[in-house]
Amino acid sequence: GPNGAGKTTLISMLATILNPTSGSAVVWNHNISKEKDSVRKSIGIVFQDPSLDEELTGRENLDFHGRLYGMNKEYREERINEVLELVEMKDKADNLVKTYSGGMKRRLEIARGLIHSPKVLFLDEPTLGLDPQTRRRLWEYIKKINQEEKITIILTTHYMEEADFLCNRIGIIDHGKIIALD
């Protein structure tokens, strides 16, 4: 959908950040209004705007996020290594995030969204502002994550070619309403 269509608002409601004004929704068998904690435990989210701590390393960002999810040290370290490998960032994991390129930051944000093994991953315009080559590489990571991690990915985008390449099902939203689906 176009700017202002309601894509980010929809993601925010499904992720329990915003309360819906009407209607209802279920994410991974949990009602978004009545079972917020259960929804939050079952999802990962990559926001449209960057939200990494640039004064930490990539590994430290992942470790911090894993701690917020209550992951024990052994499992947290295992998952950090797995997600770093998945997004091909093991060699840069101990560098400060402020030294990363835009594409590297997006890949780290995706890794962070996956750290706690969510059932559903929300990606809010994950390739916005990236150069065409980096966008295409990120598409490959998203497809790989979907296949290897076996999770549902809900993606918002302005780019029809991105939706066509990545999605099994497409919805078009405008003025807060889904106007086309499938």
Side-chain angles (χ1 to χ4, degrees):
N3 288 333
K7 298 180 303 294
T8 299
T9 300
L10 176 61
I11 294 285
S12 295
M13 285 188 289
L14 294 174
T16 73
I17 296 166
L18 291 176
N19 290 320
T21 53
S22 65
S24 64
V26 174
V27 174
W28 204 253
N29 296 319
H30 302 289
N31 183 293
I32 64 167
S33 296
K34 298 174 184 168
E35 301 172 272
K36 290 181 180 188
D37 286 342
S38 296
V39 170
R40 290 176 185 154
K41 287 177 184 172
S42 67
I43 67 169
I45 187 164
V46 176
F47 297 100
Q48 184 176 352
D49 296 319
S51 59
L52 297 167
D53 187 328
E54 296 205 344
E55 298 300 319
L56 298 177
T57 67
R59 186 178 308 279
E60 289 168 338
N61 268 277
L62 295 174
D63 184 68
F64 178 74
H65 194 75
R67 288 171 189 247
L68 289 175
Y69 271 90
M71 298 169 68
N72 71 51
K73 183 178 181 179
E74 185 178 306
Y75 181 59
R76 191 172 65 242
E77 288 176 358
E78 178 184 321
R79 279 300 290 169
I80 287 170
N81 288 325
E82 286 175 5
V83 297
L84 284 169
E85 191 169 315
L86 186 66
V87 298
E88 298 176 13
M89 291 199 52
K90 274 190 127 168
D91 61 329
K92 303 290 185 191
D94 296 312
N95 296 357
L96 292 177
V97 170
K98 65 183 171 186
T99 67
Y100 288 8
S101 69
M104 290 170 65
K105 289 177 183 176
R106 291 311 273 173
R107 288 170 25 213
L108 183 63
E109 288 183 311
I110 290 172
R112 187 185 61 192
L114 293 168
I115 193 73
H116 61 289
S117 301
K119 304 298 183 198
V120 179
L121 178 65
F122 293 105
L123 300 175
D124 193 5
E125 299 189 39
T127 63
L128 190 66
L130 299 179
D131 64 82
Q133 183 180 8
T134 303
R135 275 182 62 216
R136 189 65 174 191
R137 283 194 73 210
L138 199 52
W139 289 2
E140 296 299 334
Y141 291 121
I142 292 168
K143 272 194 159 313
K144 183 178 176 183
I145 288 162
N146 178 245
Q147 292 165 357
E148 291 183 12
E149 294 283 313
K150 305 284 188 230
I151 62 173
T152 299
I153 298 176
I154 299 175
L155 169 95
T156 67
T157 185
H158 290 281
Y159 310 118
M160 289 306 293
E161 72 277 12
E162 184 167 88
D164 186 48
F165 184 82
L166 291 172
C167 301
N168 297 325
R169 191 170 187 209
I170 296 173
I172 298 175
I173 189 170
D174 198 15
H175 295 93
K177 300 213 183 293
I178 296 173
I179 57 171
L181 188 59
D182 271 330

